[in-house]
Amino acid sequence: MAVKVNSELDQLNTTDADLIKLAGLYVYLLPKRHSTIEVNDKMFKIRNTNFNKEKSGMDAMTVQNVASGEYHVVYMGTNIHGKYAIADIKTDAHLLTEATPQQLKDGKKYFEDMEKAFGEITSASGNSLGGALANYVGVEYSHVRSVTLNPAMLPASALDVEKQYDNITNYISEYDLLNLSQDAIGMGNQVPGLKYTIYNGVPSIAGIGFNHTGYRREDSIHTPYVTIGRKGEPGYGKIYVDAHNHIVSSIWTGQPLYGGRSERIDLNVETLQLLSQSIETSVLERLGLAQTYIGHTVEIINHESEAYESRLKTVREVFQEAFEDIIDDGLLKGIRFANSVFKLMIQKLHALLDTIERASQVLNGLLNSPPAALIEFIINKPIDAESLVSEIRGSLEELEETLDEFALAVEDTVYNTIEDIFKAGQEKFHDVVVGELEAHFEHVESNYQRMNAQVEEFGTQVGQVANAFKTIDQRVAHAITDQLAMGDIDPMTSTT
């Protein structure tokens, strides 16, 4: 049976996206007690703060959703600028051991104190070390919903790795270095509860920080995007990295759509209108953002395709430079040219042999004497100045021929083999560096255009259905009251 959704109430309740933004962004901004902050169009009152007070390094705040009345404890992650930054770092290290660090115990006590002060706490949230604090509370208290972003693991003694903790949800950024490392050392199972990957952030060294916290902050200033490229160059634009925007959520309830079964929605005028409005705003807006990213990618691909000759020249130069640097003393420098070091050395040796041969001419008189003639007869080999250097000269000529063959092989590699790599073994020319990407994004672009048109059409149809529902309701009411026929309903756009 379909569940009737109270859209107004659902939109007021605190969602996972709200908790993630509180944990990844707002708690690090150290809001003042009794102040009010706006998170995803909802107002939250800061009811309590505990910043730079605990020697263990535990920092947290308690917030209340003004509209729904829910209370939430939000823990801060490692704060290297805080009063007890060293304590945070020590706690991070202690999470690798069996014992439960004092900061986790202090985090649990803070939660208990807040429940005594305000009543039931709906949820705990945190990022990094703050995520470990929230999950420690979630392990201890099953009535609490723990929602974390890129959490640190718990010490082995703090949880049962075989137990299902359905009250804990962890969102892991695709490029989060902490969780990649925890999984790599075989300790990923010490993060309790459900884990869902979200695709925010960028794969670069510059993004390590905000990939982990989920938000880009500089001097307490939040910037929701990363600028890529240089203005005026292909691919220049913005990538939006805020973590909460990458959690896939229900249009009606705002709750995440990961695994399990979601509630069926009662089809009525209100829910249909909400769906139609959401398609026209958030859905098409996200599709537009995706199209922007695709456009930047295509710009880069086209630029690289046009720059093929330049890239080929660069690869050739890099290969030649690397090849020539194999021998430290530079013997292979310019091996393909007549003035290469090797060839200059051979030419100098030839010149030296010429000098030796000229200087040895004075020996010919002695070499033609009877004793020398006797030696020539015995060894059956002529002895003269030319024969003294002829073998050496022959060896030099053989070396020179071999060097020419070697130079031709190098030249063939530079001008033919390297280009064959770009052809990817195909008979006709094909730039493998960009060719496959170009073909792929042609399909992506085509599919995007088709999908965008279908979504727009679907949004229109949903709006028409909602209006038809409303019209039918009104006509049924009038027909019952006046005892008249309902009449026809305006036709709706058909799907093509």
Side-chain angles (χ1 to χ4, degrees), residues 29 33 52 54 177 202 314 331:
L29 300 179
R33 186 178 181 183
N52 297 315
E54 303 290 344
L177 187 60
V202 293
T314 299
L331 285 177

Side-chain angles (χ1 to χ4, degrees), residues 20 23-25 27-28 75-78 125-132 134 147-152 176 211-214 217:
I20 290 302
L25 176 61
V27 72
Y28 289 103
Y75 294 100
M76 186 188 298
T78 302
S125 64
N127 158 248
S128 189
L129 177 55
V147 178
T148 75
L149 173 66
N150 300 324
D176 175 46
N211 284 346
H212 180 55
T213 63
R217 291 177 290 109

Side-chain angles (χ1 to χ4, degrees), residues 238-279:
K238 300 173 181 177
I239 295 178
Y240 289 83
V241 296
D242 281 359
H244 70 279
N245 285 328
H246 293 79
I247 297 175
V248 182
S249 305
S250 166
I251 287 173
W252 290 283
T253 66
Q255 296 304 317
L257 299 175
Y258 297 91
R261 295 182 61 184
S262 61
E263 294 179 341
R264 290 188 294 171
I265 306 301
D266 184 20
L267 289 180
N268 54 41
V269 174
E270 182 185 18
T271 56
L272 287 173
Q273 286 178 338
L274 180 58
L275 175 59
S276 179
Q277 292 166 6
S278 298
I279 289 174

